[in-house]
Each structure stands twice: as structure tokens, then as C-alpha cells.
Amino acid sequence: MAQEDSFLYALSSNNAWAGYKAHQNPNFFPKLAGGQTPQILWLGCSDSRCPETTILGLQPGDVFVHRNIANIISPTDINTSAVIEYAVTFLGVRHVVLCGHSACGGAIAALAGGRVGGVLDTWLTPLRAIRVAHAEELAAIKDESARAVRVAELNVQAGVAVLMANAVVQDAVRERGLEVHGCLFDIGSGRIRDLGFGTGSKGGVMRGAGGADEVVRGKHAQLVFRGGSAASMAVR
Ligand SMILES: [Zn+2]
């Protein structure tokens, strides 16, 4: 079925999904068509296993997104910068989430050291620089997948530093309390871990701090983060 013609299968799946959503909530698509007010900007990896809206348990309209190979945030990348500027300045998102993930092909390629070929080697240069800068620490990690996770964490840390140096982000943090978070998605468990970088070093949206609840309201659903790590999801 899906393997015979995955595009045709995807189209028929979309048709079924649209019918289901409209049946479930007749106002869903008309409301969606009226505009977007996402509260989260998600910067993540293009990896097919990391579809942000799905893994957050949110809905269309909830998350503004930029994804690239290995979620590399570079100050000279006009694509990433344009997405950040639009989301922060015009959409007024409350949270910027940079999320890496386990078993990232970019991290694994950077660790392997050899050439991938084409423009990919240029793109992965920042990850290779991270590998070189942390060579000793990484060599001490015996388990290969754990080493790839550590590279992904360091990559998120570097990306958050770039975000915190972004003038648009800096203004929004100062003027209206925009929060910046660095996270890691563990594909094996489906869980997102807050790495504590950025403004979220005190504990932020992805991990409720203290005893207070943190509520992230999407347009069609909301996530409630209780003190500690428990979260519940409500769809209205
Ligand atoms: Zn990846």
C-alpha cells in the first residue's frame, strides 16, 4: 500500500484526516483559515522522526517552524534568520525552542569525520567544529549513540548561544519576556528533555519549574506542565 505509491497513499491519508478533523470539529478549518497566532517557534532537525507538532501533541496553528539538517543555527543563515524575525517580531511568539534529537544523522556524520559529499560538508562544518572543540570529552564516551547525543546537546548549546546573540531575540527577551529554550528529543522514548540553556536555564516551558503550572496554549489544544516533569494535554 504505502510502499507501492507513498504519494498517493499520503493524499488519501490527508483526505481521511481532513474529513475526520472537520467531523470532530466543524469549526476547525474555518478557524484555522482565519489566521495564525502560534506561541511557539520551533527550530529543529529535518529528520522525519521529529515532526514538531506531532511530538508536542499540538495541532496545526500551534507551532511556527523552521527545520534544517541537524538543527544548525548560524547567524549568517538568512533562511533561519528570516523565520526567527517573522516569528518573534510579527507573530509575537512567547517561546523559541531549539530542539536537537538522538540518533541525528548530522551528528553521526560529524563524528565519523569523513566527507559526506556536495554541499552537505559545508553545511555540517559547525558540527565538525564542535566535535574538534570537544574531542577529549567525546572520546571518553564509549557508547556510540551516547556520543551522538552529546554532540547533539553541544550543538543545541551552540545554537542557543547564537539565538541569544540575535538582536531581534534580545529585544524581545528584554521588552516582553520572550523565552528561549534548548531541548533534546529522545526518539527512543518520544520524550523531550529541557537542557536548561537560554532563558530557560531556570527551568522553562518544556519542564514546569517549582510547583507552579505552566500552560502553553495552542490555538486548538493546550499543554499543561506541572511542577516537576508531569504534563497533561487538553484539547478544546
Ligand atoms: Zn537530525
Side-chain angles (χ1 to χ4, degrees):
M1 175 184 54
Q3 284 179 336
E4 282 170 21
D5 191 327
S6 48
F7 176 63
L8 285 180
Y9 175 77
L11 285 184
S12 84
S13 176
N14 161 259
N15 192 44
W17 171 81
Y20 171 73
K21 295 299 277 189
H23 174 74
Q24 195 186 37
N25 178 3
N27 199 35
F28 183 82
F29 291 113
K31 193 176 170 192
L32 207 55
Q36 62 171 335
T37 51
Q39 296 192 16
I40 294 174
L41 166 61
W42 175 276
L43 304 168
C45 182
S46 301
D47 194 301
S48 63
R49 300 165 295 178
C50 310
E52 71 303 314
T53 303
T54 305
I55 64 177
L56 289 169
L58 294 175
Q59 295 290 325
D62 290 339
V63 190
F64 201 72
V65 181
H66 174 76
R67 289 164 65 184
N68 63 42
I69 290 179
N71 46 274
I72 292 171
I73 307 299
S74 165
T76 55
D77 177 11
I78 195 171
N79 187 345
T80 310
S81 301
V83 171
I84 292 168
E85 188 162 334
Y86 185 73
V88 172
T89 305
F90 293 95
L91 295 175
V93 296
R94 287 175 50 203
H95 303 275
V96 178
V97 179
L98 172 57
C99 191
H101 68 99
S102 61
C104 182
I108 292 165
L111 278 171
R115 286 199 185 172
V116 182
V119 74
L120 287 168
D121 288 310
T122 309
W123 180 254
L124 292 173
T125 299
L127 266 184
R128 294 212 165 96
I130 285 171
R131 184 202 72 201
V132 171
H134 299 269
E136 204 174 317
E137 179 195 346
L138 292 168
I141 302 173
K142 297 286 174 268
D143 182 67
E144 264 182 44
S145 56
R147 206 180 306 133
V149 164
R150 185 58 187 144
V151 169
E153 288 175 352
L154 292 165
N155 181 38
V156 169
Q157 186 170 21
V160 167
V162 172
L163 289 172
M164 297 299 286
N166 179 301
V168 168
V169 171
Q170 285 180 342
D171 288 350
V173 168
R174 190 180 57 248
E175 290 164 11
R176 60 179 181 82
L178 173 74
E179 294 185 19
V180 179
H181 313 273
C183 300
L184 207 84
F185 174 55
D186 176 48
I187 294 179
S189 68
R191 307 284 174 180
I192 295 171
R193 182 161 52 92
D194 187 347
L195 298 175
F197 305 137
T199 60
S201 55
K202 60 189 184 302
V205 58
M206 307 307 286
R207 182 190 57 198
D213 287 359
E214 284 236 24
V215 180
V216 177
R217 276 193 189 81
K219 201 167 181 181
H220 307 284
Q222 63 183 34
L223 287 176
V224 182
F225 296 85
R226 308 230 176 270
S229 60
S232 62
M233 182 169 65
V235 181
R236 64 172 188 274

